[in-house]
Amino acid sequence: MGRFASTPLTQAISAGRSSWPTRGDWHNVFRYEAGHSGVPRKGAALLQGIAICGRCGRRMSMRYTGPNADYPVYCCRSDRDQQGSALCQEVRALAVDALVERVVLDALVPDQIEIALAAADQLEHESRQLEHQWALRVERARYEAERARRQYDAVEPENRLVARSLERVWEEKLRVVETVEQEHARWRAQEPLLIGPAERAGLQALGENLPRIWNAAITSAADRKRILRFVIREVVLDQKRTRGQVWLKIVWQTGATSEHHVQRRVHTYRNYIDIDRLRRRIVELNAEHKMDAEIAAILNQEGFVAARGCAFKGENVWLLRTRWGIPTVKINGMAVPRRSGWKAASIKVREFRWARDVGRA
């Protein structure tokens, strides 16, 4: 069963009966009623209607920003609407949607569906074994009740004390039969729905055709949302749990969950995800007598991103060095000797003028 945990889909199937849709709730997976909060609507946001605030548990609404109102943002505004307090949180949608899309498409590739179907076959085999055990238990209870009835019928009417005692035993056996049958019915209701040939063929076709359908030009945003809701029940978002990241938990229609992180754009370096690693790298490059522009180019090559999601420039590095008290080792390509007093202050003025001139260039 180790291989079956490679994706959220196979994790859901191999996790056991509690995570796979049951006979009682399978129809809800494909049911969308008008006015339901999760019904697919127009708009670019993929998680519209199923985004849940990870801080307060309320359903998140939508708003759009940007000059053309084309940047979706998931908002939790319940506290402000109901109590007049500040917004609980806002999460930019584009990066989160891209991650969820990638996770879903990866989970439904054909080879992972084959692994998931193999796990379902194993669950089906275990279910049949348990069904046989339940049948034996019910049969035994009914046999005991029938045996008690025959003993009661065989007693002579004159033996009233014996008859009353046998009658109580018979009633107890009947109650046992009723209890066992109810427990069996509850167990069957919670059992995973067996996958028949038609469902198996449908899942295999879905894995083969989903990427093509998802990326087709004629597939609308509402169509993608509808496809997404076939496999995902809701997505919990929290951008304040981890610095510089959005934490999200995908709740699959099977009941299984998977946790993910996506780096988010920040307005200040106080919320930067890798601020400690960034500082160490700038100190190292500065110690190698690199100029700020050179440091910025190296940081960009190594995958660092400045605040607000833009590339590093020399002035960004200078501002960070100034904030962190990292001394200048070069000015205009020349090494800076150690000085003290007014000469050190003069160097700081020259450094500032150089950064200003670079910014104007």
Side-chain angles (χ1 to χ4, degrees):
M1 293 291 290
R3 290 184 59 204
F4 297 153
S6 55
T7 68
L9 176 65
T10 53
Q11 286 175 2
I13 294 179
S14 61
R17 294 166 185 78
S18 61
S19 63
W20 191 248
T22 65
R23 291 178 175 86
D25 63 10
W26 176 259
H27 67 282
N28 292 326
V29 175
F30 301 102
R31 180 182 180 187
Y32 300 109
E33 297 177 342
H36 188 272
S37 57
V39 67
R41 297 183 175 91
K42 294 181 179 179
L46 190 62
L47 306 181
Q48 182 179 8
I50 63 172
I52 305 297
C53 178
R55 304 190 64 78
C56 68
R58 298 185 179 97
R59 194 171 299 276
M60 303 182 77
S61 59
M62 292 299 309
R63 75 179 184 91
Y64 290 85
T65 63
N68 299 318
D70 52 359
Y71 289 95
V73 179
Y74 300 116
C75 306
C76 181
R77 62 178 78 237
S78 298
D79 288 343
R80 188 174 70 177
D81 293 343
Q82 297 176 9
Q83 306 173 9
S85 56
L87 283 173
C88 186
Q89 67 168 337
E90 290 188 336
V91 180
R92 295 181 181 272
L94 295 182
V96 172
D97 289 357
L99 174 63
V100 172
E101 175 183 334
R102 185 169 64 253
V103 170
V104 169
L105 293 179
D106 289 345
L108 295 179
V109 294
D111 59 337
Q112 297 300 337
I113 289 180
E114 289 296 334
I115 296 174
L117 290 175
D121 290 341
Q122 182 169 343
L123 279 181
E124 182 178 346
H125 177 69
E126 296 175 359
S127 179
R128 287 173 177 169
Q129 289 181 329
L130 289 173
E131 177 65 35
H132 178 66
Q133 295 175 11
W134 273 108
L136 292 176
R137 185 179 175 186
V138 172
E139 181 181 356
R140 178 67 179 178
R142 290 173 179 172
Y143 170 78
E144 294 290 343
E146 178 62 20
R147 184 167 176 267
R149 184 194 65 79
R150 290 197 304 267
Q151 290 176 343
Y152 173 77
D153 290 342
V155 72
E156 295 293 336
E158 294 80 8
N159 298 328
R160 295 182 179 179
L161 292 177
V162 175
R164 290 175 182 173
S165 176
L166 293 175
E167 184 180 15
R168 285 195 297 270
V169 172
W170 183 22
E171 290 175 350
E172 290 175 0
K173 298 298 183 182
L174 289 175
R175 284 194 291 269
V176 170
V177 171
E178 183 181 6
T179 301
V180 172
E181 289 179 342
Q182 290 176 352
E183 291 176 353
H184 184 208
R186 285 195 294 268
W187 175 82
R188 285 182 59 84
Q190 296 299 321
E191 270 298 274
L193 186 68
L194 300 182
I195 299 178
E199 290 83 0
R200 184 180 297 272
L203 283 172
Q204 291 171 336
L206 176 64
E208 295 172 357
N209 299 326
L210 180 60
R212 178 174 56 84
I213 295 173
W214 185 276
N215 296 312
I218 61 174
T219 303
S220 65
D223 292 332
R224 293 187 179 93
K225 295 177 188 179
R226 191 171 292 107
I227 294 172
L228 187 76
R229 284 153 180 75
F230 284 154
V231 292
I232 289 181
R233 184 183 306 166
E234 62 186 25
V235 179
V236 184
L237 303 176
D238 188 351
Q239 75 165 8
K240 298 182 179 181
R241 179 173 302 200
T242 305
R243 184 176 63 185
Q245 291 183 323
V246 177
W247 172 87
L248 60 149
K249 179 173 71 174
I250 299 177
V251 181
W252 300 81
Q253 288 288 4
T254 60
T257 61
S258 59
E259 296 186 8
H260 310 269
H261 292 85
V262 60
Q263 184 173 349
R264 65 182 179 92
R265 293 180 58 184
V266 295
H267 294 285
T268 66
Y269 286 97
R270 182 170 54 254
N271 298 321
Y272 193 82
I273 179 174
D274 286 332
I275 190 64
D276 295 332
R277 189 165 66 93
L278 174 63
R279 180 172 182 171
R280 287 196 302 270
R281 191 62 179 133
I282 291 178
V283 170
E284 293 171 356
L285 294 174
N286 186 72
E288 295 175 5
H289 298 274
K290 303 289 186 182
M291 297 187 66
D292 290 343
E294 296 174 317
I295 295 176
I298 295 174
L299 293 176
N300 293 330
Q301 293 174 0
E302 295 179 352
F304 287 94
V305 179
R308 300 180 181 271
C310 58
F312 272 101
K313 298 180 180 179
E315 50 263 40
N316 301 129
V317 176
W318 178 83
L319 288 172
L320 289 175
R321 285 196 305 98
T322 303
R323 177 181 302 175
W324 293 332
I326 302 174
T328 300
V329 295
K330 273 190 177 183
I331 294 182
N332 295 331
M334 301 295 293
V336 178
R338 294 183 177 271
R339 292 178 173 88
S340 59
W342 68 270
K343 292 184 178 181
S346 176
I347 290 176
K348 289 185 178 181
V349 172
R350 292 173 57 194
E351 178 182 354
F352 173 78
R353 289 175 178 172
W354 171 81
R356 181 193 60 188
D357 295 339
V358 170
R360 291 175 176 177

